[in-house]
Amino acid sequence: MALRKQNDDLRTSRDGLHGECQRLHMEYAALRSQQAHALEEVRRDAEAETKDVLKSWMRTLQVLADEQQRSISDLAQLKYGDDPQILADLMTIDHTNGQFGRRAQGIAALCGGWLGRRETTASVYDVARSAQGRIKHFDRVQIHTQVNVSVTSTAVEPVAVVLAELLDNATNYSAPGTPVEINIQAVPTGICLIIDDAGLGMSQEEKDRAAALLNPETSVSITSLGNPPRVGFAVAGVLATRYGFKVSVDSVSPYGGVRAVILLPESLLTNDAPEPAADAALFADTDHPATRPRPAATPVQIVGTTPGGLPKRRRRPAVSVVPEPAATEPEHDGEVTASRIGAFARGTLLGRNTTTTEGSQDQ
């Protein structure tokens, strides 16, 4: 009887201790949950404050880059328009300034800022040329197109920035001297800009990380981009999500490298052609991406329209529209060369005709 009573007492004590242990586990789990929630809230606040500070800084840098670009253009047009050597040096400075401005735009976009406001449309080809002119190794980029459609004014700048980021990756991660091709093709749902490089490609882990950045489900954390930060895919994902187009890098290029694709839906395209630059005929002799002549497109026949109002086209047999080479040597008069470079300066100003402001997404 005494042993049974002692056993019952021990069992009761054990059950009590077991209940106390469960209570302590529940309290511990609740405290861990509260701590995790508090840490997450602190991280969100810190991330938001960091983005606000960076956005403010980048807005200042964007304004300075715009002012510097206007100063360079004024010098090229008004003061040194007759000196081709100085104009060439100014264009080199302008090209570097364009890269600086693009990086400021990208960081501003990651922090919730806006790229700027553009009042006019631009052809898809001109958007590609604009992107080409914003990277260091622009001379390795080749653009091929068979379409004649424009990008809406709202989407011109974000598409150019995203394409420039992809081109920058393609040239930096492929062998020096190898070409990077942009093929612009019409598809049933819009237009595709296809970028092919001859690099080493991407591992599956890198493709998964890129896919997560290009299709962000939540806002991108600045601190998750590494040190030094790799912002190209993050910028592309943020802008693609914000403006309604798609970016992917999960394919292999014909050269064994990476194939990146930008899909522009019909809602971002228009048939309104931009006004041609008055000095376009003077661009032929300058060796800069913004001044190379547009390649001849395969003639097409309009056979109807899509639900979005864009023309459906059928290719006709190709007809060459390239003029025969002149029988005489090209003229190298200094004044003619200066006027051509001056025309390029004016074209560069028109190509980057955006106003950096802060406001609604309609910008």
Side-chain angles (χ1 to χ4, degrees), residues 21 69 79 82 93 117 120 128 132 140 146 148 154 174 211 214 217 239 286 295 303 315 319 326 351:
C21 183
Q69 194 273 325
K79 190 171 183 180
D82 297 327
I93 297 172
R117 182 176 61 251
T120 59
Q132 180 187 9
R140 291 171 51 192
Q146 294 184 344
N148 187 24
T154 303
S174 57
L214 292 172
E217 296 181 358
L239 291 176
T286 52
V303 296
R315 292 185 185 175
V319 179

Side-chain angles (χ1 to χ4, degrees), residues 123-126 128 143-151 183-187 190-193 264 269-271 294-300 311 313 315:
S123 70
V124 180
Y125 180 81
D126 286 336
I143 305 175
H144 311 285
T145 181
Q146 294 184 344
V147 301
N148 187 24
V149 177
S150 297
V151 180
N183 288 283
I184 305 173
Q185 299 180 5
V187 295
I191 295 294
C192 275
L193 292 91
L264 303 181
L269 303 174
T270 177
N271 292 321
R294 182 192 303 266
T298 302
V300 294
R313 296 174 171 84
R315 292 185 185 175

Side-chain angles (χ1 to χ4, degrees), residues 111-327:
C111 298
W114 300 96
L115 301 180
R117 182 176 61 251
R118 183 184 173 94
E119 302 296 339
T120 59
T121 63
S123 70
V124 180
Y125 180 81
D126 286 336
V127 172
R129 288 199 307 171
S130 176
Q132 180 187 9
R134 304 184 195 198
I135 67 170
K136 182 177 182 179
H137 304 292
F138 66 86
D139 53 338
R140 291 171 51 192
V141 178
Q142 303 170 1
I143 305 175
H144 311 285
T145 181
Q146 294 184 344
V147 301
N148 187 24
V149 177
S150 297
V151 180
T152 59
S153 59
T154 303
V156 167
E157 195 64 12
V159 173
V161 171
V162 170
L163 181 55
E165 293 292 346
L166 296 176
L167 290 175
D168 191 55
N169 276 352
T171 54
N172 286 335
Y173 292 97
S174 57
T178 58
V180 173
E181 293 186 352
I182 304 176
N183 288 283
I184 305 173
Q185 299 180 5
V187 295
T189 56
I191 295 294
C192 275
L193 292 91
I194 305 170
I195 305 98
D196 290 315
D197 66 51
L200 297 176
M202 301 170 64
S203 66
Q204 189 58 49
E205 182 181 355
E206 290 172 329
K207 288 182 179 180
D208 293 341
R209 177 181 180 275
L213 290 173
L214 292 172
N215 299 279
E217 296 181 358
T218 59
S219 60
V220 177
S221 171
I222 297 294
T223 56
S224 67
L225 300 177
N227 185 19
R230 298 168 61 184
V231 301
F233 290 151
V235 170
V238 167
L239 291 176
T241 301
R242 182 183 299 174
Y243 288 93
F245 56 96
K246 296 181 179 179
V247 184
S248 63
V249 292
D250 54 0
S251 303
V252 179
S253 79
Y255 312 110
V258 174
R259 164 168 284 186
V261 180
I262 300 175
L263 173 60
L264 303 181
E266 292 183 353
S267 59
L268 299 181
L269 303 174
T270 177
N271 292 321
D272 297 335
E275 291 294 327
D279 299 306
L282 301 176
F283 290 169
D285 284 353
T286 52
D287 188 18
H288 190 280
T291 65
R292 292 174 186 153
R294 182 192 303 266
T298 302
V300 294
Q301 177 182 6
I302 306 300
V303 296
T305 59
T306 66
L310 293 174
K312 290 184 178 178
R313 296 174 171 84
R314 178 182 299 146
R315 292 185 185 175
R316 298 174 180 169
V319 179
S320 175
V321 295
V322 181
E324 294 294 329

